[in-house]
Every structure is written in C-alpha cells, then in structure tokens.
Amino acid sequence: MKKRPGFSVLFTSILMVLSAVSATWAEDNKVDVSLTYDDDGTYYVNMPYLRDKLIIGTLTLTANDLSSYADPSTGEILFKVYDDGGKSGTYNPYPTSVLQIIVPEGYVLTLNGQVKMESLPYAYLNVYDAAERSDDALIAENLNSGNIGPYVSSGNALTLYFTAYNEGDDWDGLDLTVGVHQTHAITVNTLVAGGVVSGMTSAYENQ
C-alpha cells in the first residue's frame, strides 16, 4: 500500500506551488506606461489598473523624452498623474496600483496636487523616494483628502502606491502634478570654530 505524504511534505509542496504562481503573477503584472497628450496642452499618465490584483506600472523618461515634453515658452517639464478613472472619471473597484517614475541621473522630481477618496483606512496614497516601495524610502503615507505636497525626491525616482477597497463612485481620486527638474551644484558655506568650511551639494532652479 502506497504511503500518503506526510503533512509537512504536502504543506511544503503547496507553498512551493503558490509561491511560483505568485511570482508569475507579480512578473506578469508589470507594465510599461507612457505619457499621453491632453487637449488642454498638458501631458498625463493614469495609474495602471487590474481588479483585485497588484499591478506595477513603470514610467521611464529619457533625456530625449524630457526635451520633447518641456514647455516651449518656459522650459518647464510638468505632467499630471490621475487614478485609473482618468482626469474626469472615478477610480474602478478595488485598485491596488503602483506607479514608478524614473528620470535620468541629474534630475529630481517634485510632486503635489489633490487627493479625494473614501475615508481611511479604505483608500489612500503612499509616496516613496525611490524606484521601489520600501519602508526606508517612505516619505508620505495615508494621503487621503485635500492638498498634498510639495514633495521633492532626493534622487531621480518616485514611486506612488494607490489602493482602495471599493469603487470611486463620488470620489475624484488622484489629481497630481509631477515636475522634472535638472539639478546643479551649489556651494554651501558652513561656519565652524576658527573659520568657514565650504561643501558642495545640489539644488534645482527656484528651489
């Protein structure tokens, strides 16, 4: 008579299968996104959406992209970020979406705007100062209502995490503005005992 596998062996096998499926889903649920031109003369991107599953969208802008997106009169590089419902719609049921925004080295990102969604803890936006979600990079959490920012990245990437347990219905969701700014070196003079020490750091124009 054939022996049934022990519980621990069976449980381990199930975990291995589930882990493989989860890894596949995680890989499959990554998408590249791009900016779209709006009739009002701005560019925008919507948060990606996949019902009941985490989806990760990556917006990568090259130096050539930035030159084409710059305002011809001011040189500013600004674009909008909306939830999956877009500029005028409401977000779909149960979104759990990530948007990674990556620009070339030597640039930083700014983020501000408005969020309007159902009450905490059912819906919120987190902002990370990196190209990934990690506790160390978290710079704003549980943003849920009203004006937010401005937040400034320390490097060339920001990550947005948006989740809601229900559909938007009467909620506008996300209406955010991202700015891309080239940094330049500045000299900071620090007073110390016996003299002045000069150190180099960086900032962007109008900071």
Side-chain angles (χ1 to χ4, degrees), residues 47 81 97-101 109-115 117 124-144 147-154 157-163 174 176-178:
M47 296 289 290
V81 176
S97 56
V98 172
L99 178 63
Q100 301 167 321
I101 306 171
L109 296 158
T110 57
L111 174 73
N112 59 48
Q114 293 185 326
V115 296
M117 56 192 83
Y124 58 87
L125 172 73
N126 287 353
V127 182
Y128 299 84
D129 183 17
E132 61 183 2
R133 289 185 300 146
S134 68
D135 290 342
D136 292 341
L138 183 65
I139 57 175
E141 65 180 333
N142 296 332
L143 302 174
N144 179 268
N147 296 324
I148 69 165
Y151 303 107
V152 183
S153 68
S154 61
L158 280 177
T159 294
L160 309 180
Y161 173 78
F162 170 59
T163 187
L174 308 179
L176 309 175
T177 300
V178 175

Side-chain angles (χ1 to χ4, degrees), residues 173-193:
L174 308 179
D175 185 349
L176 309 175
T177 300
V178 175
V180 185
H181 310 270
Q182 191 166 16
T183 60
H184 56 272
I186 60 173
T187 300
V188 177
N189 294 326
T190 305
L191 290 174
V192 296

